[in-house]
Amino acid sequence: MSPTADPATVLVVEDDPSLNTALTTTLRLAGFRPVAARTAAEGMRWFAHYSPDLVLLDLGLPDRDGLTVIRDIRERGTTPIVVLSARNGEAIKVEALDLGADDYVQKPFGVEELLARLRAGLRHGVQARGAEPVIHAGDVTIDFGRRAVAKHGAAVKLSPKEFDLLTELALKLGRTVRHKDLLRAVWGDERAEIQYLRVYMGQLRQKLGAERIVSESGVGYRLES
């Protein structure tokens, strides 16, 4: 059986209602978890709430230019951004890429090409954080590009939050990651309720083994290699 995990979350920020619906439907059928927004303000609100794995962003938004959204997202981290825009001038493409976009897809577009760009963006996002596409931690295999986890070769079903926590541990394989660093990376705020972290980490340790994910009381957690 191939390893499987909950699908990657893609935030779609597109103001055209019909295109927004078409994109979210296409992404869902392709195995992604789409979250839809039609304005920059709504997009940033969902970005903070869902911590998406990738942002698919239109530049022509009704409340703000999409370029400013790229800047805002980059101030918050390395989440991959794929621009989807009808603007075809070289200058605007260069500006979007210089601000931190990972790719630029021009409308109209082919569905298969768009999906390939999204998959590439997800892989680049993992690599930008210093991880190999696949990490082996003892009997646990983590495939970042597919968001898939296996133990002894058998698929392990993880929730999005569980996978995000495992990613943070895998990026520092063999080293202890402090509670506040995990809260900041996964919930966006080191002051978030630590009980959330304990609940999710407890579930993760049950699925992967307490010997694989070690808890250091009062300090943090470590993924053993």
Side-chain angles (χ1 to χ4, degrees):
M1 181 186 296
S2 300
T4 58
D6 281 359
T9 300
V10 177
L11 173 60
V12 179
V13 188
E14 166 62 59
D15 68 317
D16 182 286
S18 59
L19 181 54
N20 192 306
T21 299
L23 286 169
T24 54
T25 300
T26 297
L27 292 175
R28 189 173 295 110
L29 291 174
F32 295 98
R33 180 195 182 202
V35 175
R38 293 183 181 174
T39 65
E42 186 179 28
M44 292 308 300
R45 184 163 64 249
W46 289 152
F47 180 84
H49 181 77
Y50 287 101
S51 299
D53 301 289
L54 182 142
V55 177
L56 182 58
L57 174 67
D58 180 27
L59 295 184
L61 300 172
D63 53 340
R64 284 170 54 193
D65 191 293
L67 293 172
T68 67
V69 177
I70 297 175
R71 186 181 297 110
D72 285 353
I73 291 174
R74 277 294 157 265
E75 289 176 352
R76 291 164 171 77
T78 60
T79 303
I81 303 169
V82 175
V83 170
L84 184 61
S85 179
R87 303 181 192 178
N88 59 8
E90 181 179 358
I92 193 68
K93 293 180 182 179
V94 170
E95 186 174 3
L97 295 171
D98 282 347
L99 284 171
D102 296 86
D103 205 345
Y104 194 107
V105 179
Q106 186 177 326
K107 300 176 184 178
F109 56 89
V111 170
E112 291 306 317
E113 177 189 1
L114 176 64
L115 293 176
R117 301 283 189 97
L118 296 182
R119 289 190 292 267
L122 288 168
R123 290 193 296 270
H124 293 163
V126 170
Q127 292 164 1
R129 300 176 66 190
E132 296 297 324
V134 177
I135 281 182
H136 300 280
D139 54 5
V140 174
T141 301
I142 308 163
D143 186 327
F144 292 106
R146 299 177 58 235
R147 288 182 68 86
V149 177
K151 182 177 174 66
H152 293 304
V156 178
K157 179 76 169 178
L158 298 185
S159 71
K161 280 286 190 292
E162 289 168 351
F163 188 88
D164 291 345
L165 284 168
L166 183 60
T167 295
E168 295 304 316
L169 297 178
L171 290 173
K172 298 178 178 64
L173 187 61
R175 292 178 287 165
T176 299
V177 184
R178 295 177 301 174
H179 294 143
K180 70 176 185 178
D181 292 331
L182 290 168
L183 289 170
R184 184 191 306 115
V186 178
W187 279 273
D189 187 349
E190 66 183 54
R191 297 166 298 178
E193 177 54 60
I194 196 170
Q195 184 61 26
Y196 296 154
L197 175 62
R198 289 175 178 146
V199 169
Y200 281 103
M201 289 302 303
Q203 295 169 175
L204 195 55
R205 296 181 77 208
Q206 284 184 346
K207 294 178 180 181
L208 300 182
E211 77 287 351
R212 184 60 51 206
I213 299 179
V214 177
S215 172
E216 292 197 13
S217 181
V219 180
Y221 297 88
R222 179 177 70 256
L223 178 63
E224 291 285 12
S225 58

